[in-house]
Amino acid sequence: VSGLDPTRFSTDCASGSTSMAASVSEALEAGATSLLLDEDTCAANFMSRDGRMRALVNHEPITPMLYRVSGLYNELGVSSIVVIGGNGDWLDVADSVVLMDEYMAFDSTKKAASISMTFSYGHVQYAGRGVAHRLPWPDQVLRARIPDPTSFSLAADGPGQPRADSDGGGGVVRLR
């Protein structure tokens, strides 16, 4: 839909990247001070976009998390722990790197920084808005929202599906 304003977007059929972006926004609005993201379980185009796709797709309403993670910390104080295994571009924005090797954890921050300097693609412009991996967080005020209780399903949708429980008074909703 041409001309759609993504700041006031609603759908019952969101893509994975739209769902991820909404989840991060909601976590920030709720006052989260840290985020935990696993590359394997996140929408790929939400997490990052390589140079070829940046060149091909000019009007993408969702800026990948990779390009916002530094601004998220520098401007809002929100830390991100990102578990990666396939996209080394994340090394360009890492403050600390823990490498899992044969079930052992090793501090690989210095090696990762060296690899980043050797192979970095983080010096390209992102849609004319700044260096791709160092975009500032948008100057938008995070607004507090109160979820509509009717928007939660309180019954499991099927075997193995999440179930939400309410305290009955419109207060606590626990998702399991």
Side-chain angles (χ1 to χ4, degrees):
V1 177
S2 182
L4 182 65
D5 179 5
T7 62
R8 301 265 184 230
F9 179 76
S10 177
T11 182
D12 292 329
C13 302
S15 68
S17 59
T18 300
S19 296
M20 292 290 309
S23 294
V24 168
S25 293
E26 289 169 355
L28 297 174
E29 290 170 353
T33 58
S34 59
L35 300 172
L36 175 60
L37 301 163
D38 184 345
E39 178 185 52
D40 289 344
T41 61
C42 292
N45 63 327
F46 168 76
M47 294 296 282
S48 66
R49 176 158 293 125
D50 69 17
R52 292 176 187 95
M53 291 309 294
R54 284 193 306 268
L56 178 66
V57 180
N58 294 317
H59 302 289
E60 174 60 50
I62 296 174
T63 302
M65 188 68 176
L66 174 64
Y67 311 143
R68 294 290 194 202
V69 71
S70 293
L72 189 61
Y73 179 75
N74 294 335
E75 296 171 38
L76 298 180
V78 176
S79 297
S80 298
I81 299 170
V82 184
V83 179
I84 64 165
N87 187 339
D89 285 354
W90 283 93
L91 299 179
D92 295 348
V93 298
D95 292 319
S96 299
V97 175
V98 176
L99 175 69
M100 296 300 295
D101 187 12
E102 296 185 15
Y103 304 101
M104 300 285 295
F106 297 93
D107 180 355
S108 292
T109 305
K110 288 181 182 176
K111 183 175 181 179
S114 175
I115 291 168
S116 175
M117 292 297 292
T118 303
F119 297 101
S120 180
Y121 296 100
H123 302 291
V124 298
Q125 292 289 312
Y126 185 78
R129 291 186 278 167
V131 175
H133 291 36
R134 302 287 181 192
L135 289 178
W137 193 256
D139 289 333
Q140 298 170 345
V141 176
L142 294 176
R143 55 190 159 87
R145 290 190 289 171
I146 300 171
D148 177 358
T150 63
S151 68
F152 293 96
S153 170
L154 298 180
D157 292 331
Q161 294 298 310
R163 178 180 165 84
D165 296 321
S166 171
D167 69 357
V172 177
V173 173
R174 288 186 265 337
L175 298 175
R176 297 187 275 156

